[in-house]
Structures are given as C-alpha cells and as structure tokens.
Amino acid sequence: MSLEVPPSAQPHCAVHPDVLAGGTCSRCGAFVCADCVRFPLGSERVFCVACSKRPEVDYLEAFRLEHWGRRDSWAWTVGMLTLSLLLGVFLSLASGGAPSRKEWLFSALYLASVPVGGAFFLGRPWARPALVVTPLVLALGAGVLEPAQRIHHLLSALPFMFVAVLIHRDVRNRLFFRQPVTPGALAAMWNRLRNNPIARQAFHFGLSGLLMPLLSPLAVVCGVVGLFRVKPQAHPPIGRRGQALAGIVLGVLGPLLWMLVLLPYLDQHFGLVRKD
Ligand SMILES: [Zn+2]
Ligand SMILES: [Zn+2]
C-alpha cells in the first residue's frame, strides 16, 4: 500500500469497528486491533482471533482433532478383556459336568459387565462412568452370592477400580469419547507424545545404562538423534535438548563406570582381567 490514506479511511479492526487496526492477520488478511492480535506459541506470524484457533495455526488444536474420536489403547484393552471374559465364562460353563446353581449365578453376574465393556470399546458416552462402577457392582454382587467371601471379593475389585479411575481420567481416552479437555492437559499430552520423545528415551536409556550397560549405546544413539531434532524456533517448538545431552553423557559414563568399578573388582577377586 503506497497510496496516501486520509485519516478517515485508516483501517479499523474487523471485530471492533471503532478501534484503529494495528496490523493484519497473516492468514485471512483481516485488520486486527491490539486486543484482537494473536501470537501463537512457536509461530513468528500474527493472526486474528478466529484464525489463531485453526488447526493449521494452533498445533494443539490440530493434535486434539487428530485424537478426537480415535480409539485409544485403553479402549482396545477394555475391549480385549471383555472378549476374554466372555470366552472364559463360556469355556468354564462348557467344561466339566452340569454347572451348579451358584456357577450359573456367577456366570450371569460376570456376563452383566460385557455390555459395559462392549459399549466402552464402541465409545458410547454412558460406558465411561459405567466402567468405573462395574468392578464395585461385580464385587458387591459376588458378596451377595458368597457372603463369607464378601471382604475378599471387595479387595480383589480394588485394583480394577483403581485402573478404571485412571482410564476415566486419561486425556487420550477422553478424546476418544469426544470429551472436552483443558488446554493444559492437552499441552501435557502433546509434550509427552510429540515433544522429542526420542530425547526423553535417551535420558531413560542413559539412566538404566548405569545398571545395564547394554543400554548405554542406545542412549548415545537416541541422544544424538534427539539432539538433531531440537528446534526451539519451529512451529511447534521441539525441545528436550537437556535430556538428549544427558542421555549422551550418561551413555558414555555408564560403560566407563563399569570399567572402572566392575573390572577392577573382578580382577581383585577372581584375577580374571588383564594384568598391567
Ligand atoms: Zn485471520
Ligand atoms: Zn479488535
């Protein structure tokens, strides 16, 4: 724009017509005022409010859409467990002689959880809370059938209830059920899955390598690869330089420690190692 612009024709914000614009959105070209301009994390461009929420601009939004309604590993786990429960009940009924009345009742009790597991696998919203209460309901039902074993049944249900609560709170599983998640939870999940996971792996290999030196070369390799992936200026920014470096250092230190500590020990006690 090289033409002279009279003051009355100066650009105004597309959203606030009485406020002068300070710039334009780099995606749609709309005029934006100081209140409307957005600087997305990791991007050097500026956007209007609407464009800043678009998947190609907001990587967390793109990440959310990627997992929205997509079956996660918890859903697969619940589905497979339900299937094995179903098979187990039928096999135990089919094997041996005629089932007793108690065996029939227990089978019916366990089969009652099959619709919950099936609906969970299919992503039906009601199955999310139902999965949390199912172990408790089964334990209470088993307690009614076997009053002497009531405490035992309740205690056996505890680990299942604990896992069910973990599943209920899992961000990725919430996305499979198309449940809203907070931006913080989404950012944490992105950080765990997408922010240079190989650098984090290098750090873990490096630490484990202090006890298991066979892992040390892996730590060095992952550390070098992770280090090359670090790009703080990229959109989205890729970090974990520190973990990549720590992985390399630990990966070198691990075998050194073993050579300095273990080999002299072997030498001293068994005389197995080189004589200087
Ligand atoms: Zn825009
Ligand atoms: Zn505005």
Side-chain angles (χ1 to χ4, degrees):
M1 298 267 261
S2 59
L3 297 174
E4 276 182 37
V5 182
S8 62
Q10 278 185 355
H12 287 73
C13 174
V15 180
H16 307 103
D18 45 342
V19 182
L20 281 179
T24 55
C25 169
S26 64
R27 187 184 163 276
C28 69
F31 287 117
V32 286
C33 69
D35 277 347
C36 293
V37 69
R38 291 288 180 274
F39 306 90
L41 191 67
S43 172
E44 286 166 8
R45 305 194 294 160
V46 300
F47 297 92
C48 68
V49 174
C51 287
S52 74
K53 291 178 182 153
R54 294 185 64 90
E56 67 266 34
V57 174
D58 182 349
Y59 66 89
L60 285 180
E61 175 64 7
F63 185 63
R64 189 182 72 82
L65 291 176
E66 207 178 299
H67 293 93
W68 193 246
R70 271 261 310 269
R71 189 164 292 115
D72 69 327
S73 51
W74 279 128
W76 279 105
T77 307
V78 171
M80 291 301 126
L81 281 177
T82 305
L83 199 61
S84 27
L85 178 75
L86 195 60
L87 284 174
V89 168
F90 277 114
L91 284 179
S92 73
L93 283 181
S95 66
S100 67
R101 182 170 165 274
K102 195 164 128 189
E103 280 170 329
W104 276 117
L105 286 172
F106 262 101
S107 303
L109 181 67
Y110 289 128
L111 287 180
S113 67
V114 168
V116 176
F120 192 90
F121 180 75
L122 294 174
R124 299 284 178 270
W126 64 266
R128 241 168 67 77
L131 188 77
V132 177
V133 295
T134 296
L136 182 63
V137 171
L138 288 188
L140 292 176
V144 171
L145 295 178
E146 271 182 344
Q149 300 286 317
R150 192 177 293 147
I151 300 295
H152 167 81
H153 285 304
L154 275 175
L155 286 179
S156 337
L158 276 180
F160 290 96
M161 284 160 69
F162 178 72
V163 173
V165 170
L166 284 185
I167 297 177
H168 192 78
R169 296 172 54 87
D170 186 77
V171 178
R172 191 145 170 209
N173 189 257
R174 290 180 69 94
L175 291 176
F176 163 54
F177 279 93
R178 299 168 197 270
Q179 297 282 310
V181 298
T182 64
L186 199 60
M189 179 178 152
W190 184 88
N191 194 37
R192 184 162 46 86
L193 295 179
R194 294 290 165 83
N195 184 13
N196 210 348
I198 200 163
R200 191 187 49 197
Q201 199 57 53
F203 180 61
H204 289 165
F205 279 147
L207 275 186
S208 317
L210 297 179
L211 292 175
M212 295 170 278
L214 285 179
L215 291 174
S216 296
L218 281 176
V220 175
V221 171
C222 291
V224 170
V225 174
L227 202 57
F228 272 104
R229 294 203 177 154
V230 173
K231 276 196 190 69
Q233 309 306 327
H235 177 72
I238 301 298
R240 298 193 193 277
R241 185 193 302 275
Q243 290 191 340
L245 286 171
I248 297 175
V249 171
L250 288 171
V252 173
L253 273 183
L256 275 181
L257 273 177
W258 277 78
M259 278 202 281
L260 292 176
V261 177
L262 185 74
L263 294 190
Y265 175 85
L266 287 175
D267 194 22
Q268 194 184 336
H269 289 264
F270 305 100
L272 295 175
V273 194
R274 66 189 144 72
K275 307 261 188 291
D276 290 69

